[in-house]
Amino acid sequence: MIENKRLTFAIISHPDAGKTTMTEKLLLFGGAIHAAGAVKSGKSARKTVSDFMEMEKNRGISISTSVMGFDYRDRKVNILDTPGHADFSEDTYRTLTAVDSTLMVIDSVKGVEERTRKLCEICRMRKTPIITFVNKFDREGKEAVELLDEIEAELNVTVCPMSWPVGQGKAFKGVYSLYEKRLILFSAHGVQDEQDVIEISDLNNPELNDRIGDYEANKLREELELITQVYPDFDQELYNHGELTPVFFGSAINNFGIRELLDCFVDIAPGPGEFETEGRMVKPDEKSFSGFIFKIHANLDPRHRDRLAFMRIVSGEFEKNHTYTHVRTGKGYKTSNPTAFMAQSRNIVDSAIPGDIIGLHDTGTFKIGDTLTEGEMIQYKGIPSFAPQIFRTVVNKDPLKDKQFNKGLEQLAEEGVVQIFTKVVTKQKLIGVVGSLQLDVIQHRLLHEYKATCIFEPVDFQTACWINAPDKAVIDKFVGENQNKIALDVRGQLIYLAPSRWMLDRTVEDYKGLKYYFTSDMK
């Protein structure tokens, strides 16, 4: 059965909640690596496996989605570590289209934060199951009940505690696993050993008092009695529909609470699900192969100047050396070396099944949103591009590097790092980004990967939207009367550029029948 073989999920959180550290520790407990590196800025810290770009290492943040896989208890686990920073939300949202579930990390000190709220909203919209890990419980922070109430109120999801903390901060002694009926004792900066795990199925067992003291034992009994009355039992159906989230407590940096989370996750997380195309839903157990490209990354290995397209397998079986249909172009595509990931490490695979994420070596064939099939002309939906908030003209500082400059910009646009617009009248090229940190990434990558230098110059536009209309005359009239503010994106779709949101709303209201969008499906 397909559903038991693959567990493909993304880790989401607000920046600094411990997302990338959590990724590392899951790899550690899954046996994929032997030492985990916490995410700290500066050059002295051991670099994490998942943050491989130079800027990520220097700033201690995730900028691009990285893909990692390992085998655990008869399941192939695929983790997608996503950027938490709002400036890179497009990469995160596109990644969420390629997973079957998510792991949400919440900082116990800060509680639910803005990015967590937004990402959870996207998951709820797509009915993606969410499992929650409340991190940093070895620090003084909000109490467990307060955090559960906050998660329910802020994220509009029912909570179901699967473990319960014993103490907090300096007094943190461990957690009681409601899922496994076991007490797991905490030792700071240690590795969680089997001797620290005690089977206590009966809470009246005096060994509980011996292990954690009378005060904590009695408090734990009272709290567990209360929460079992207040919060519902785990319901697989509600979890599968994203309406209920199981909650675990622990400390990722101290390796604590990760094993319990992982064991539960592989038990309950759904396998590959069905995906929507423009014509129908595609089920994972269909015999015919299909998959879609949700991410492209050039120069993953700077020594080889390579470019990889990340593909999610939706149905059937992908086989090496087989020719498939590239739906957008209608042409055949054959790959001899599809790769599976362990962050920067890659292995060539002979085949891949639904739920797998594989890398296809790309020479410019693919764009984000492309579909590969065994012949059926279907197009997967829901891979978004967002209207930029920041616009600039980009100027090449060295005319002798014009070729490298143009190639770099084109490839970064194909990756989704930047959007390029061409004004219909002047043919002037503008770049658009969602957040200002993306501008730093563009400059950095142009310099280090393409040896091109650039500067940005401001323009009078502050917002934009894609425009369309069933009646071509409406579009022609709108374009004709707003020529200086109309541009084309890389897919040839019309976009209207405005100096302010107020001006945009006022202008489009004057044209009955005109439709405008702030997201665009990447086709």
Side-chain angles (χ1 to χ4, degrees):
M1 288 285 287
I2 283 170
E3 60 265 29
N4 295 326
K5 289 187 176 178
R6 297 294 186 266
L7 167 53
T8 303
F9 70 99
I11 302 188
I12 59 172
S13 80
H14 194 84
D16 298 328
K19 176 173 49 61
T20 302
T21 304
M22 167 62 84
T23 307
E24 292 283 307
K25 298 310 171 84
L26 287 170
L27 293 172
L28 182 67
F29 277 84
I33 56 175
H34 300 293
V39 184
K40 294 176 182 150
S41 54
K43 294 179 180 171
S44 59
R46 202 194 78 82
K47 301 301 187 256
T48 60
V49 175
S50 60
D51 286 345
F52 46 77
M53 281 172 57
E54 196 63 35
M55 276 184 74
E56 293 180 312
K57 292 171 183 172
N58 293 339
R59 296 188 186 214
I61 59 169
S62 297
I63 286 173
S64 64
T65 300
S66 50
V67 180
M68 290 141 284
F70 61 89
D71 294 309
Y72 190 78
R73 284 184 29 206
D74 299 327
R75 285 191 90 167
K76 168 75 186 299
V77 180
N78 296 312
I79 307 175
L80 281 73
D81 176 24
T82 61
H85 202 289
D87 285 8
F88 305 99
S89 50
E90 281 193 73
D91 198 32
T92 302
Y93 295 159
R94 285 197 287 266
T95 300
L96 290 175
T97 66
V99 299
D100 301 301
S101 63
T102 56
L103 166 58
M104 177 168 64
V105 181
I106 289 177
D107 185 330
S108 69
V109 181
K110 297 173 182 171
V112 175
E113 296 174 88
E114 184 214 345
R115 287 291 296 147
T116 319
R117 209 174 288 117
K118 186 69 182 167
L119 292 166
C120 193
E121 213 176 280
I122 302 288
C123 292
R124 290 297 311 277
M125 207 166 67
R126 301 179 59 83
K127 296 190 172 173
T128 307
I130 303 168
I131 196 165
T132 301
F133 184 79
V134 180
N135 194 19
K136 305 182 184 180
F137 230 75
D138 54 327
R139 299 185 190 178
E140 302 298 335
K142 298 183 179 183
E143 290 187 6
V145 172
E146 186 186 349
L147 285 159
L148 291 181
D149 289 347
E150 195 175 310
I151 292 166
E152 280 203 326
E154 294 276 347
L155 304 180
N156 191 27
V157 62
T158 303
V159 296
C160 169
M162 295 294 234
S163 71
W164 196 253
V166 179
Q168 189 171 6
K170 289 179 181 174
F172 184 51
K173 293 190 175 178
V175 294
Y176 182 76
S177 171
L178 291 148
Y179 181 65
E180 297 176 308
K181 305 283 189 253
R182 311 199 303 176
L183 178 70
I184 301 101
L185 297 174
F186 172 71
S187 56
H189 308 297
V191 175
Q192 192 177 317
D193 294 321
E194 282 304 310
Q195 69 234 34
D196 295 329
V197 180
I198 301 112
E199 298 279 349
I200 298 183
S201 51
D202 179 6
L203 286 170
N204 293 316
N205 187 333
E207 189 178 359
L208 187 63
N209 297 60
D210 296 340
R211 292 287 183 169
I212 61 176
D214 292 341
Y215 172 76
E216 289 293 3
N218 292 329
K219 187 183 176 197
L220 178 64
R221 290 183 184 111
E222 285 171 20
E223 288 179 340
L224 289 179
E225 189 180 346
L226 178 68
I227 63 166
T228 49
Q229 290 172 5
V230 172
Y231 300 106
D233 292 336
F234 175 71
D235 184 309
Q236 185 74 50
E237 200 65 27
L238 290 177
Y239 165 68
N240 285 350
H241 287 95
E243 294 170 25
L244 175 144
T245 178
V247 181
F248 288 82
F249 296 86
S251 166
I253 200 160
N254 286 304
N255 303 334
F256 191 77
I258 310 295
R259 190 196 63 76
E260 291 70 40
L261 171 78
L262 185 56
D263 282 346
C264 177
F265 207 1
V266 296
D267 284 348
I268 67 170
E274 57 183 22
F275 280 74
E276 187 180 5
T277 71
E278 290 182 344
R280 67 185 187 88
M281 298 298 288
V282 176
K283 297 187 182 331
D285 55 2
E286 293 182 20
K287 287 186 178 176
S288 183
F289 160 77
S290 67
F292 62 89
I293 307 296
F294 68 93
K295 174 182 172 63
I296 292 170
H297 204 311
N299 311 317
L300 269 167
D301 183 347
R303 292 169 299 180
H304 295 116
R305 290 278 171 251
D306 59 348
R307 177 175 143 131
L308 276 183
F310 292 68
M311 180 168 70
R312 158 73 195 230
I313 313 293
V314 178
S315 65
E317 185 175 0
F318 179 90
E319 293 179 341
K320 186 169 78 169
N321 294 323
H322 190 91
T323 300
Y324 295 104
T325 300
H326 182 217
V327 172
R328 178 172 53 83
T329 62
K331 295 178 181 176
Y333 173 82
K334 181 179 179 180
T335 181
S336 56
N337 51 358
T339 56
F341 299 97
M342 172 39 205
Q344 271 177 302
S345 306
R346 306 179 218 158
N347 304 307
I348 292 176
V349 291
D350 293 324
S351 64
I353 63 172
D356 278 334
I357 307 288
I358 61 170
L360 304 177
H361 287 270
D362 181 25
T363 54
T365 306
F366 293 115
K367 287 185 167 65
I368 291 170
D370 279 359
T371 299
L372 275 185
T373 70
E374 281 191 68
E376 188 180 359
M377 301 305 279
I378 54 174
Q379 174 68 47
Y380 283 102
K381 289 177 69 174
I383 301 170
S385 181
F386 292 85
Q389 307 298 312
I390 299 168
F391 297 88
R392 297 284 187 272
T393 52
V394 56
V395 179
N396 178 14
K397 283 178 72 178
D398 184 357
L400 296 175
K401 295 284 179 69
D402 206 45
K403 188 177 175 184
Q404 293 93 319
F405 172 78
N406 287 324
K407 183 185 178 187
L409 265 190
E410 183 186 331
Q411 292 206 340
L412 292 175
E414 286 172 355
E415 282 184 37
V417 174
V418 60
Q419 294 184 56
I420 297 180
F421 305 105
T422 307
K423 292 183 75 175
V424 291
V425 176
T426 63
K427 306 302 178 192
Q428 180 190 31
K429 288 202 182 302
L430 301 175
I431 63 165
V433 293
V434 175
S436 58
L437 200 51
Q438 284 177 282
L439 295 172
D440 294 346
V441 171
I442 294 162
Q443 276 186 321
H444 181 91
R445 291 191 60 188
L446 279 175
L447 177 62
H448 290 272
E449 295 172 23
Y450 302 96
K451 305 296 181 247
T453 51
C454 72
I455 54 169
F456 301 114
E457 293 180 348
V459 290
D460 293 333
F461 306 117
Q462 287 185 5
T463 189
C465 66
W466 283 273
I467 53 171
N468 205 345
D471 185 353
K472 187 174 180 296
V474 174
I475 282 284
D476 290 343
K477 182 172 186 282
F478 184 84
V479 170
E481 293 175 4
N482 297 277
Q483 287 186 17
N484 293 329
K485 298 186 184 75
I486 303 292
L488 293 172
D489 69 8
V490 288
R491 298 182 298 283
Q493 294 174 311
L494 287 167
I495 192 160
Y496 171 64
L497 306 159
S500 68
R501 180 62 190 260
W502 177 82
M503 184 65 82
L504 185 150
D505 290 339
R506 184 180 168 187
T507 305
V508 293
E509 275 172 19
D510 292 340
Y511 295 84
K512 300 300 176 199
L514 185 76
K515 294 184 176 178
Y516 64 107
Y517 312 88
F518 291 98
T519 60
S520 165
D521 223 336
M522 298 193 82
K523 303 180 218 173

